[in-house]
Amino acid sequence: MPSIDTARILILATDGYERSELRLPRDELSKRGAKVTIASLEKRAIKSWDKGDWGDTVDVDLTAKDVFVRDFDALVLPGGQINPDLLRKDPDAMRVVTDFVQSGMVVAAICHAPWLLVEADALKGRKATSYASIRKDVENAGAQWVDAKVVCDHGIVTSRSPDDLDAFVAKIVEEIEEGRHDRRAA
């Protein structure tokens, strides 16, 4: 089984990501020894959304079109309203999400990021959670929506909001250390 201190984790985001939902997982997973890579639509710094206004930026390591799933052990998708809405319209970003889902590797989405799982048809017949305002989107995609800090179904980890980040990160670590997940067809 993989260990978090040797794990390779990809965070996929673009402008408008919720600041805490990218930074806290990145920092906490890195502290545990994981190698964390940031991918986006373009190889340039991307800007966060923080408490109702544009925040600071993070540097991007590679573009979504250059991501090879075999190079990673998990995918983390931060939320915010803007970020997942832009990503779900991009074919390269959606290829990354779909490839990770199909691989059996851990896929973790928080807040509005389950929109990407909806777009990838990854939630049918699964339990999931999300930010409350997209509950119907998640349910319409065939998921059983659960109001909990973190929900995990065969290595697909979902959380509701920044308030749940500690539980979200802890579950990511646990799922990575379990290894690949045999996923029934969604």
Side-chain angles (χ1 to χ4, degrees):
M1 285 195 233
S3 174
I4 192 62
D5 63 356
T6 61
R8 300 157 304 159
I9 300 169
L10 181 69
I11 297 177
L12 178 63
T14 194
D15 292 323
Y17 65 87
E18 177 69 34
R19 182 181 194 274
S20 62
E21 293 173 0
L22 186 147
R23 288 190 174 270
L24 191 135
R26 180 198 64 186
D27 295 349
E28 289 300 314
L29 294 165
S30 293
K31 280 183 198 173
R32 290 172 168 93
K35 180 180 187 241
V36 180
T37 301
I38 309 289
S40 189
L41 306 179
E42 299 175 42
K43 194 167 180 197
R44 61 167 176 76
I46 54 175
K47 192 174 279 200
S48 70
W49 187 258
D50 187 31
K51 298 183 176 125
D53 204 351
W54 292 105
D56 56 4
T57 62
V58 296
D59 291 330
V60 169
D61 301 305
L62 75 160
T63 64
K65 71 179 177 184
D66 294 324
V67 170
F68 294 98
V69 174
R70 67 178 179 266
D71 295 336
F72 299 95
D73 300 301
L75 174 64
V76 176
L77 301 167
Q81 290 176 311
I82 300 166
N83 168 60
D85 196 41
L86 292 174
L87 290 175
R88 68 184 175 160
K89 295 185 288 186
D90 184 85
D92 293 319
M94 287 312 305
R95 178 201 51 86
V96 171
V97 175
T98 301
D99 286 354
F100 267 95
V101 169
Q102 292 175 350
S103 76
M105 286 185 253
V106 175
V107 177
I110 188 166
C111 194
H112 288 76
W115 267 339
L116 295 163
L117 301 176
V118 167
E119 192 70 26
D121 292 323
L123 296 178
K124 187 175 183 181
R126 301 189 193 287
K127 290 183 181 178
T129 195
S130 65
Y131 197 70
S133 67
I134 69 165
R135 174 183 179 165
K136 284 296 175 199
D137 296 336
V138 170
E139 290 175 337
N140 287 339
Q144 177 188 346
W145 192 88
V146 180
D147 187 13
K149 286 183 180 186
V150 65
V151 174
C152 185
D153 190 321
H154 291 82
I156 296 178
V157 178
T158 51
S159 281
R160 301 173 300 192
S161 73
D163 294 339
D164 303 329
L165 278 165
D166 290 339
F168 182 63
V169 171
K171 187 52 110 172
I172 292 168
V173 171
E174 178 184 328
E175 293 300 306
I176 287 171
E177 292 188 338
E178 285 183 7
R180 286 185 188 249
H181 294 76
D182 182 27
R183 294 198 178 113
R184 65 189 186 281

